[in-house]
Amino acid sequence: MNHFGYKGGVLSAEDVGLPALAARVGTPFYCYSRATLERHYKVFAGALPKESLVAFSVKANGNLAVLKTLALLGAGADVVSGGELAKALAAGIPAERIVFSGVGKTKEEMHQALTAGIYQFNVESEPELLALDEVARELNKRAPITLRINPDVDARTHAKITTGTAETKFGIPFARAREAYARAASLHNVEIVGIDVHIGSQLTELAPFEAAFEKVAALAKTLRADGHSITRLDLGGGLGVPYENNNMPPPDPAAYGKMVARATDQLGCRLIFEPGRLIAANAGVLVAKVLYVKEGEAKNFLILDAGMNDLIRPAMYDAHHEIVPVKEPVPGAERVVYDVVGPVCETSDLFAAGRALPELKSGDLVAILSTGAYGATMASSYNARPPAPEVLVSAAEWAIVRPRLRHDDLIGQDRLPDWLG
Ligand code: LLP
């Protein structure tokens, strides 16, 4: 459920009409709903065993105001870089609710995270383990660690967001787990606290999760028998969201919570979750203006002022996003089939191919839905286009939570060497 809908004939975020926002902010812009973020967080957290840590995956949406919204509800953070760690801390997420994932942590990032006192490092390889031990020794600390185990389970999601099969770069192979834990136990400056697993994103079935979690639960028992202290299980993120109106809804958090309890019941571990998309995707829309309607030889093109630099998911994963007119269409309005494209000079700058929409004209506003996760965080300034700014709405209030960069801001990022020219 989300808080975007037609009110008084226009698409609104909570109590704020998007045309009024467009008039003030300009287009394109991302608009997030605080009530939706809060609702998603509460529904998910409420479905999990008590004492669980819900560490929002900052890569999905790293806006400080979004992070603060979740921090106020008690959320932690799953970070994958020093930059994300700094953002999570700046948003008021306490270090003891932050976990650090990722295959390529640098020693500087380890130093930063150890100094901050984060909850745990999810270590993805043996060389990384040795590096962390070294940094912790220099700081005279012990780094709390889990090892991310690759359970070799197919998440049955898009290949580009599958992480839990043996072919991917992620985690330590299941078959090497005991050896890797023995190695970790021999190091003085790391402290084994648990096991971590994450098999992919936008999962639409529970079965792959269940297969992975059962493997992890069995491993926990083996590792305990080997003498390791396994008190935490980090079960990653990955729960999918409905992107299309008429397709099968993904498993709901309640069913996921029950399955998790079933799989991990007897272990008495603290559970950690790293949801990103589930919390943020349907809490955001990208509002764009129709620049031109171009009648091609074979097709009609709707050319928007948002491009693949603002939202890359369709180009990168063939992702489907619903697109709706901001002005409420009259019931039964005739539909026209468009290719909805952006202005970027790439054929893949295509938001939707052959999409039937009520007839639109130059100057009309549209909203690209379900773009609160992996939208703004993956944006770039390709074609020297300042990425879309971000707005957060809360009931009748709104604020620009990331302003639009000016051309001078973009130019100011470059430097001219004094020997040039
Ligand atoms: N934990 C780890 C270790 C991850 O790698 C990810 C996502 C998450 C948690 C959060 O997963 P979520 O709950 O959001 O599915 N850019 C792609 C998604 C990439 C996901 C990468 N890892 C997209 O736009 O679909």
Side-chain angles (χ1 to χ4, degrees):
M1 196 215 130
N2 63 61
H3 297 76
F4 295 94
Y6 291 107
K7 278 188 188 167
V10 295
L11 191 64
S12 303
E14 305 189 25
D15 300 330
V16 179
L18 295 178
L21 274 185
R24 300 284 295 278
V25 180
T27 53
F29 67 96
Y30 279 101
C31 177
Y32 308 130
S33 153
R34 178 185 182 183
T36 308
L37 289 164
E38 291 180 343
R39 185 188 147 80
H40 290 170
Y41 177 87
K42 286 180 189 160
V43 167
F44 185 66
L48 303 172
K50 286 205 176 45
E51 311 302 325
S52 296
L53 171 63
V54 178
F56 176 65
S57 200
V58 174
K59 64 171 84 66
N61 190 318
N63 191 287
L64 232 47
V66 169
L67 299 180
K68 174 91 185 265
T69 300
L70 298 172
L72 290 171
L73 300 177
D78 162 47
V79 303
V80 292
S81 68
E84 285 190 355
L85 172 57
K87 283 194 123 179
L89 291 169
I93 297 177
E96 62 270 17
R97 288 197 208 130
I98 297 180
V99 302
F100 196 162
S101 307
V103 295
K105 304 175 192 78
T106 65
K107 285 190 171 175
E108 290 73 21
E109 288 172 327
M110 292 172 179
H111 188 286
Q112 179 192 353
L114 279 166
T115 310
I118 65 162
Y119 190 54
Q120 78 189 26
F121 291 82
N122 295 329
V123 174
E124 300 225 13
S125 68
E126 291 176 60
E128 182 193 333
L129 189 61
L130 299 180
L132 181 58
D133 182 57
E134 209 178 295
V135 179
R137 188 165 344 110
E138 283 159 18
L139 290 170
N140 204 15
K141 288 184 185 285
R142 286 193 91 199
I145 61 140
T146 69
L147 296 186
R148 176 168 175 185
I149 298 302
N150 185 330
D152 198 15
V153 167
D154 184 357
R156 297 209 282 269
T157 181
H158 191 284
K160 282 193 180 154
I161 48 175
T162 288
T163 57
T165 57
E167 295 80 39
T168 69
K169 67 180 176 184
F170 297 100
I172 292 168
F174 195 82
R176 280 192 60 79
R178 289 176 77 186
E179 236 172 293
Y181 272 89
R183 185 86 182 268
S186 73
L187 303 172
H188 286 297
N189 294 83
V190 300
E191 183 193 358
I192 296 170
V193 295
I195 312 176
D196 172 45
V197 68
H198 171 82
I199 57 171
S201 197
Q202 184 55 15
L203 270 72
T204 52
E205 304 163 83
L206 282 186
F209 283 121
E210 194 162 12
F213 298 169
E214 278 171 358
K215 274 184 119 169
V216 165
L219 179 64
K221 289 182 193 152
T222 309
L223 293 175
R224 280 178 174 172
D226 287 347
H228 303 295
S229 165
I230 303 295
T231 58
R232 306 178 192 167
L233 296 183
D234 184 331
L235 300 178
L239 207 52
V241 303
Y243 278 104
E244 284 186 60
N245 280 339
N246 50 4
N247 72 353
M248 288 268 295
D252 74 304
Y256 174 86
K258 276 198 194 120
M259 178 276 291
V260 163
R262 209 164 48 233
T264 62
D265 213 12
Q266 302 137 7
L267 293 167
C269 283
R270 184 182 196 201
L271 303 181
I272 301 158
F273 299 88
E274 303 169 352
R277 190 188 313 267
L278 183 77
I279 308 288
N282 284 310
V285 302
L286 174 60
V287 180
K289 191 168 70 183
V290 175
L291 291 176
Y292 304 108
V293 182
K294 175 170 162 176
E295 291 178 12
E297 263 183 11
K299 291 176 163 183
N300 296 315
F301 293 98
L302 209 57
I303 303 173
L304 305 183
D305 63 358
M308 67 190 289
N309 70 299
D310 300 301
L311 175 69
I312 204 172
R313 300 194 70 257
M316 195 154 165
Y317 315 109
D318 301 315
H320 178 101
H321 286 270
E322 294 290 333
I323 300 173
V324 298
V326 166
K327 184 164 171 276
E328 186 169 16
V330 290
E334 231 178 89
R335 305 215 151 213
V336 180
V337 175
Y338 298 104
D339 272 14
V340 185
V341 302
V344 171
C345 299
E346 298 261 359
T347 307
S348 58
D349 187 21
L350 171 69
F351 291 119
R355 190 69 65 86
L357 296 172
E359 186 166 10
L360 287 155
K361 55 183 194 322
S362 170
D364 286 346
L365 297 173
V366 297
I368 308 180
L369 306 185
S370 314
T371 47
Y374 306 109
T377 48
M378 295 181 79
S380 74
S381 53
Y382 186 39
N383 279 202
R385 290 168 45 81
E390 295 164 74
V391 172
L392 180 67
V393 167
S394 176
E397 292 189 289
W398 62 273
I400 295 175
V401 294
R402 181 178 298 171
R404 192 185 308 278
L405 296 181
R406 297 160 308 144
H407 292 153
D408 279 351
D409 298 323
L410 290 184
I411 294 167
Q413 292 176 335
D414 297 349
R415 296 287 177 274
L416 286 170
D418 50 16
W419 43 258
L420 190 66

